[in-house]
Amino acid sequence: MQDRLKMGLVQPAAYEAMDALDVFAARTQISKIQQELMRIRASQINGCAYCVHYHSAEAIKQGENEKRLLLISVWREALNVFTIEEQLLLQMTEDITLIHQQGLREELYQRAIKSFGEIKTAQIIMVIVTINAWNRIGVGLKMQPEY
């Protein structure tokens, strides 16, 4: 396979704009581990090997348990592994990532507002939107995990 372009080199302003969204996410009320769980789940759904690898490593650096990371793709069957709050974040991640199916369901949206409030719910949505954009860059450019 021939190497594809490097977005950061070809369109640095666009890459910087994406980075700005990550800077925003770092300043939110969402914990680093929760952000990584959402990023990993969206990346799994979108088939972005680069992002799954990168964000799994980041989660481990943040102190996440590797055994939990192995269960993210089957979180619905491993309910005792993830907190109620994490389950809600993973559900939101799936609904927004798979937006073509039904979007963020009303019931789920209302649960998020009740649990997190409007500001944190908006922050959660932005983290999910951002990783989905990164996934499209990663998959579109066939970015490979670095070992």
Side-chain angles (χ1 to χ4, degrees):
M1 173 180 73
Q2 185 177 1
D3 284 343
R4 296 193 175 185
L5 64 89
K6 305 273 190 249
M7 186 64 71
L9 297 175
V10 176
Q11 287 294 298
Y15 206 81
E16 288 172 18
M18 289 295 300
D19 273 340
L21 289 170
D22 283 331
V23 169
F24 166 81
R27 296 178 178 151
T28 65
Q29 301 170 18
I30 309 160
S31 79
K32 303 296 183 218
I33 288 179
Q34 288 176 335
Q35 289 186 40
E36 296 305 339
L37 293 176
M38 292 185 292
R39 289 173 177 139
I40 292 164
R41 185 64 191 125
S43 299
Q44 290 171 334
I45 292 167
N46 289 323
C48 186
Y50 180 89
C51 291
V52 169
H53 180 264
Y54 179 84
H55 291 291
S56 294
E58 287 299 307
I60 290 168
K61 284 182 194 175
Q62 293 295 324
E64 181 56 86
N65 179 317
E66 290 180 35
K67 291 179 181 179
R68 279 178 23 113
L69 292 178
L70 294 171
L71 294 171
I72 292 172
S73 65
V74 292
W75 69 268
R76 290 177 193 276
E77 288 76 32
L79 294 178
N80 63 330
V81 175
F82 299 98
T83 67
I84 298 296
E85 188 171 273
E86 289 168 339
Q87 292 172 41
L88 180 53
L89 293 172
L90 291 168
Q91 284 181 305
M92 291 177 69
T93 300
E94 290 180 0
D95 271 19
I96 293 168
T97 300
L98 299 168
I99 201 158
H100 66 284
Q101 291 182 355
Q102 62 194 357
L104 182 56
R105 291 170 284 151
E106 184 63 26
E107 168 270 326
L108 193 53
Y109 171 78
Q110 292 301 331
R111 281 182 44 214
I113 293 297
K114 184 176 179 183
S115 296
F116 304 122
E118 286 186 350
I119 291 172
K120 191 170 179 180
T121 297
Q123 293 171 349
I124 292 164
I125 291 169
M126 287 308 300
V127 169
I128 298 166
V129 166
T130 302
I131 191 57
N132 272 278
W134 280 120
N135 289 164
R136 277 140 183 81
I137 293 168
V139 173
L141 296 177
K142 298 196 180 292
M143 293 171 64
Q144 296 299 304
E146 296 177 16
Y147 284 91

